[in-house]
Structures are given as structure tokens and as C-alpha cells.
Amino acid sequence: MFVLNTKTRVDKVFKMRELGKLLKVDQAMKEEAKVIDKIVLQQVLSQGTLNIKSSVDCQEMYIFGIWMQEKEVPMHWIKALDQLTSLHTYFVVYYRQEVKELCIYRKLEQDIIKRYKTYESPWRQEVEQTLPHCKHLLDVYEAYLKALIPLEQQEGEMIQQLLQRYEEVQKLDKQIKILEQKINREKQPKKKFELARQLRTLQGDYNKKRG
């Protein structure tokens, strides 16, 4: 998580029953609620709290904290909270000494909010980071998002291009693992040699995409 000034702090603890009525909980959310300890609006990032210009593309950003009794991610609650607001959101799930950070990527296109993939960190110890220099609030949102992507952003690469490259890297990683399993099971030397050749090609593409 980025270290921000105290003006961003809200720390509003929601009453689960009232929040549930607002979100119109379904059965899946009721099941998740059994292991949710509390949900807190931790921070509000805005032009007023950060002294960074906002825009139509990103007016404010809400950071929610969700404390869990078990090590799981309440995705139904996260999606419901994200759908509740037209503002940008970011989620931090806490379990004991570990956290998992998530962001449902959204973008304003022709005055319509479009939601894309959910990006998340692994479970890990909470790490404090310094927010990079940002001119606009949208830059802040993208900085949070990029912190979840284990790739270095290349010079001149837009956020959408970075996310697309990350998806391609993930796809190649899965293909490599499947091919490695096939190689380990293959008994015929000729077929094994051909699979190994395919593996080297995939590994080359993977390393190139990672940058």
C-alpha cells in the first residue's frame, strides 16, 4: 500500500446489516458474510485530500479494507461494493498478518463506465511504498493498479498495453507449464524432442513479453 497523508483517512466502519441491505445481498454474499469480520472505508483519494487534479476520468477513489476470519477473498462483496459507486475503487483484504490487494479495472469510455478484469496481489505481508509522482488522480489510480502487475512498464507503454502484455505473459506461462508436463510424461524420444523445441519457442516468447 502507498503511504499517503492523513487527510485521506476516513476509517468508516460499516454496519454489516445496513450495508447488506444497501447491496441487496444474495445467498452467495450471505455465505461470505459468515467469515467477514468488518468492512471499512479506509481512505478517500480526491483533489481535496491529495492536492492532485481530478478529472472526469477519475473524480475520486475509494479504498476499502475487509477483515476476514478465514483466509479467503469475498469476491461477491467486492464486486457489489464496486458496482455500488461510479467512483474508482481499490480493495485490501486482511487476514491475520497477511493482506491481499485487489482492483477491478475500470475505464470511462464515451461517458460509460466499463469494468474489465480483476487484478490482485498474492497473499503477503503488508508493504508500505512511496507513491510515484502523479499529476492527475487517474495517475494515482493507475499507480495502484500497476503495483499489482509483476511487470515493469516499458517506455511509452500505456496502461492498457501493460495489462494486455500481462495477460499474454500469464497465457504463455500456463502453456509452458502444460507443455512441461507433457514432456515429463512423453516416452518416445522423437516426440519428446519436438515438444522440447516447442517449449523453447514458448519460453523465448515468454521472456520477450516479460521484457
Side-chain angles (χ1 to χ4, degrees):
M1 281 274 287
F2 293 116
V3 179
L4 304 175
N5 67 61
T6 55
K7 288 182 180 180
T8 64
R9 300 300 308 187
V10 177
D11 295 323
K12 174 180 171 56
V13 181
F14 293 101
K15 293 180 179 179
M16 289 296 293
R17 183 170 294 181
E18 292 179 5
L19 185 59
K21 289 180 181 178
L22 187 63
L23 298 177
K24 299 179 181 179
V25 299
D26 57 17
Q27 189 57 42
M29 292 176 70
K30 287 179 182 178
E31 288 299 314
E32 289 180 345
K34 293 176 181 178
V35 291
I36 295 176
D37 188 30
K38 62 181 177 180
I39 297 177
V40 180
L41 175 58
Q42 293 181 283
Q43 293 173 289
V44 174
L45 313 189
S46 65
Q47 183 169 319
T49 60
L50 284 178
N51 197 29
I52 294 176
K53 290 181 180 180
S54 62
S55 65
V56 175
D57 292 325
C58 186
Q59 298 177 6
E60 288 187 349
M61 178 175 167
Y62 288 174
I63 299 179
F64 293 92
I66 304 177
W67 276 258
M68 302 298 295
Q69 297 169 12
E70 294 183 8
K71 193 175 183 178
E72 60 181 69
V73 178
M75 277 308 304
H76 292 91
W77 282 84
I78 287 172
K79 289 179 180 179
L81 284 164
D82 181 70
Q83 289 284 345
L84 185 65
T85 176
S86 61
L87 303 173
H88 290 68
T89 59
Y90 192 84
F91 298 88
V92 186
V93 182
Y94 297 85
Y95 175 71
R96 296 184 179 176
Q97 303 302 313
E98 293 183 285
V99 300
K100 176 185 277 287
E101 299 175 31
L102 302 94
C103 182
I104 301 173
Y105 177 53
R106 64 165 67 188
K107 188 183 176 189
L108 189 66
E109 296 181 0
Q110 298 179 343
D111 298 327
I112 298 173
I113 296 172
K114 291 193 175 181
R115 291 173 171 84
Y116 295 89
K117 270 189 72 174
T118 299
Y119 296 90
E120 59 186 78
S121 72
W123 285 100
R124 62 190 179 190
Q125 297 291 313
E126 189 168 12
V127 178
E128 293 185 344
Q129 302 178 62
T130 301
L131 183 70
H133 176 70
C134 298
K135 291 183 178 180
H136 300 94
L137 202 56
L138 182 60
D139 299 331
V140 177
Y141 175 70
E142 290 183 357
Y144 273 85
L145 183 60
K146 285 185 283 189
L148 302 177
I149 308 300
L151 297 178
E152 289 293 328
Q153 189 171 18
Q154 297 174 348
E155 187 176 352
E157 187 176 42
M158 304 295 289
I159 184 67
Q160 294 89 347
Q161 294 171 317
L162 173 63
L163 298 179
Q164 178 62 36
R165 183 161 61 90
Y166 180 48
E167 288 186 27
E168 291 170 0
V169 166
Q170 288 179 307
K171 184 178 179 180
L172 285 167
D173 184 55
K174 288 180 182 179
Q175 291 175 342
I176 287 170
K177 288 176 180 176
I178 291 171
L179 198 52
E180 286 175 336
Q181 290 173 356
K182 285 183 178 180
I183 291 172
N184 290 333
R185 291 195 301 266
E186 184 56 58
K187 301 300 181 183
Q188 295 185 29
K190 190 174 181 179
K191 286 186 178 180
K192 197 163 191 172
F193 178 82
E194 175 58 25
L195 291 172
R197 186 190 64 78
Q198 294 176 22
L199 179 62
R200 287 194 296 272
T201 300
L202 285 177
Q203 288 171 333
D205 292 340
Y206 175 84
N207 291 331
K208 188 183 294 185
K209 287 290 183 182
R210 279 197 62 87

